[in-house]
Amino acid sequence: MAFGIKREELENWKEKVERGEIAFLTHYWLDERFPGSKTVTKVGCSNLEKLIAWGAQYNLKKEWIDMRKDYPHFDLFGEHEVRIMQREGLSTQLDRFKTTKKA
């Protein structure tokens, strides 16, 4: 279940993904399969080659891409989410959800 974002934020993320940009969207997310995680960051891009190359720099496998509809994306959570978002200079997205810790 996703919550904690505005429709405008979701629409902006979708537009960037559709344009072939690497786009980030962090939101609250509760899933009993991942009990230690309270947020997820979706990193999407409609250009699969570009998304695969972006993920490779963080050792993310192309098989981990969620191919849902027109918005292919990686789901980042836990320590990987924090580490990658910090390296991307996007810690403020995690701060908003009180997720930032040193990875």
Side-chain angles (χ1 to χ4, degrees):
M1 170 180 251
F3 52 96
I5 58 171
K6 297 176 183 169
R7 178 168 297 283
E8 180 181 352
E9 292 172 287
L10 177 60
E11 294 304 321
N12 287 339
W13 180 81
K14 287 180 176 181
E15 289 172 8
K16 288 179 180 179
V17 170
E18 289 171 353
R19 287 194 304 260
E21 296 177 33
I22 298 292
F24 299 82
L25 180 68
T26 302
H27 59 78
Y28 285 117
W29 177 70
L30 299 176
D31 187 320
E32 60 190 33
R33 296 173 297 167
F34 306 98
S37 297
K38 67 177 185 174
T39 62
V40 64
T41 297
K42 296 187 176 302
V43 182
C45 183
S46 61
N47 179 331
L48 284 179
E49 289 180 22
K50 188 174 184 179
L51 184 59
I52 290 167
W54 178 88
Q57 69 182 318
Y58 296 110
N59 298 315
L60 302 177
K61 298 179 182 179
K62 64 182 178 182
E63 295 83 18
W64 297 345
I65 296 174
D66 185 337
M67 296 298 292
R68 194 169 303 165
K69 297 186 182 180
D70 297 326
Y71 307 101
H73 64 276
F74 285 106
D75 288 318
L76 307 178
F77 49 91
E79 292 179 19
H80 297 293
E81 178 185 24
V82 173
R83 178 179 50 83
I84 291 170
M85 294 298 281
Q86 287 174 338
R87 284 190 53 196
E88 289 287 330
L90 298 170
S91 297
T92 56
Q93 287 194 36
L94 299 178
D95 293 341
R96 174 179 168 193
F97 297 97
K98 298 180 180 26
T99 303
T100 304
K101 329 171 204 162
K102 295 294 180 200

